[in-house]
Amino acid sequence: MIKLKNREEIELMRESAQLVSKTLGLMANEIKPGVTGLHLDKLAKEFIVDHGGIPGFLGLYDFPNTLCISPNAQVVHGIPNEKPFESGDIVSIDCGVLMNGFYGDHAYTFEVGEVDEETKKLLKVTKESLYKGIRAFKIGNRLGDIGYAIQSHVEKENYGVVRELVGHGLGKKMHEDPQVPNYGRKGRGKKFKNGMVLAIEPMINMGTHKIDQLSDGWTILTHDRKPSAHFEHDVALIDGKPRLLSTFSYVYEALGMESDEENEFLF
Ligand code: MG
Ligand code: MG
């Protein structure tokens, strides 16, 4: 059942999402060659707790850490470890927070040092597909329109859309209905309604869409071991339009980047 949120609940959810956004901003400041995922995980946990939140992933389905850290061929659900990042790596960091009784959950794929052009393009196109998906989340559309928007954008580049893992409704639970696939058919599936809050999160592989899972029971990686990217935003449907609860602005500030990509979704 899809739980619609009122404006007051959406405001509370925005606070949870923004704490995740700030945590990802901190990660952008810290991530560099030689740094380990476990170090980032510790920083993120302290930062979230210091700001009145509860790490949302820690213990969820028995996940052992605060962050999912998934470098290179890892798609999602990577477990932070002691292996230092190297120049040329891409690292997807997914973070969840529980605050005010509501979850925030979003993700960014970072470049470490000098990343090759082919991989940079994967990141660019995956992020573009996220915004195409968000733009399709509006009154008059249906669930399949999000997946169609994402899939049609990335398949032009012959990238693979992961099928087994999907976006989701967000609220008092981390994963609420509906499931939000990153592939789909226009005009199919449930109609969107005001008050829906979704975590939209394309997981896009440079090569095949097929995936494997490591024996740790968590880590998802590409079957061909080519790189994979993951960007995620928390989005509410208000007055017929998609409105961002999360922001990458803290990441961009840390990286010295400018962007107007979120302007059309502000409220
Ligand atoms: Mg996430
Ligand atoms: Mg999510």
Side-chain angles (χ1 to χ4, degrees):
M1 197 187 71
I2 298 176
K3 290 204 169 72
L4 301 178
K5 280 82 182 177
N6 62 33
R7 282 303 287 265
E8 202 178 326
E9 291 171 319
I10 287 172
E11 277 305 326
L12 293 173
M13 290 193 71
R14 171 144 73 168
E15 289 179 26
S16 310
Q18 293 279 318
L19 181 51
V20 176
S21 304
K22 289 173 187 165
T23 308
L24 291 178
L26 175 68
M27 299 299 104
N29 257 320
E30 295 291 328
I31 194 165
K32 52 179 82 72
V35 168
T36 69
L38 266 181
H39 175 68
L40 296 183
D41 190 73
K42 183 169 171 279
L43 289 178
K45 185 179 181 184
E46 286 169 3
F47 185 81
I48 291 166
V49 171
D50 283 351
H51 288 78
I54 299 167
F57 294 166
L58 186 63
L60 185 72
Y61 317 116
D62 292 329
F63 188 75
N65 289 86
T66 295
L67 301 175
C68 294
I69 299 188
S70 311
N72 303 321
Q74 295 189 7
V75 178
V76 287
H77 300 168
I79 297 175
N81 61 34
E82 290 283 14
K83 184 174 183 286
F85 302 126
E86 293 173 17
S87 181
D89 286 347
I90 57 167
V91 180
S92 301
I93 300 185
D94 197 349
C95 178
V97 155
L98 177 62
M99 199 165 71
N100 306 318
F102 289 97
Y103 281 99
D105 166 29
H106 67 106
Y108 195 91
T109 302
F110 296 93
E111 299 176 17
V112 180
E114 289 302 315
V115 170
D116 67 69
E117 290 303 319
E118 196 187 7
T119 307
K120 275 181 192 282
K121 185 177 165 194
L122 171 70
L123 301 186
K124 175 174 170 281
V125 172
T126 302
K127 182 138 64 71
E128 286 168 359
S129 79
L130 168 62
Y131 290 108
K132 292 202 179 259
I134 291 170
R135 216 168 276 131
F137 180 35
K138 62 181 183 184
I139 292 298
N141 274 2
R142 293 169 180 264
L143 258 176
D145 292 296
I146 292 181
Y148 175 81
I150 292 169
Q151 182 178 23
S152 54
H153 186 63
V154 303
E155 286 187 350
K156 278 190 291 201
E157 306 294 340
N158 290 317
Y159 294 157
V161 178
V162 172
R163 303 295 201 275
E164 293 85 347
L165 298 142
V166 296
H168 49 95
L170 186 70
K172 289 185 173 168
K173 290 189 178 155
M174 175 73 78
H175 297 115
E176 296 189 352
D177 286 337
Q179 294 200 342
V180 185
N182 296 305
Y183 56 93
R185 291 169 67 183
K186 262 184 173 173
R188 296 297 181 94
K190 283 212 160 43
K191 270 187 187 173
F192 295 133
K193 288 184 184 160
N194 284 312
M196 281 186 177
V197 179
L198 302 181
I200 300 177
E201 49 177 317
M203 289 156 258
I204 306 300
N205 300 346
M206 188 183 281
T208 179
H209 68 80
K210 291 187 181 145
I211 56 167
D212 296 330
Q213 187 171 34
L214 289 184
S215 57
D216 63 16
W218 282 105
T219 311
I220 303 293
L221 69 173
T222 58
H223 184 64
D224 58 12
R225 304 302 191 258
K226 287 186 179 175
S228 182
H230 180 212
F231 290 90
E232 178 176 21
H233 266 311
D234 301 334
V235 194
L237 189 51
I238 301 172
D239 298 333
K241 294 185 186 128
R243 297 294 175 218
L244 283 181
L245 305 182
S246 52
T247 178
F248 294 147
S249 62
Y250 299 102
V251 168
Y252 296 151
E253 201 181 306
L255 299 178
M257 288 164 59
E258 297 211 353
S259 171
D260 58 5
E261 68 195 20
E262 296 178 0
N263 290 1
E264 65 185 289
F265 308 115
L266 300 179
F267 72 110

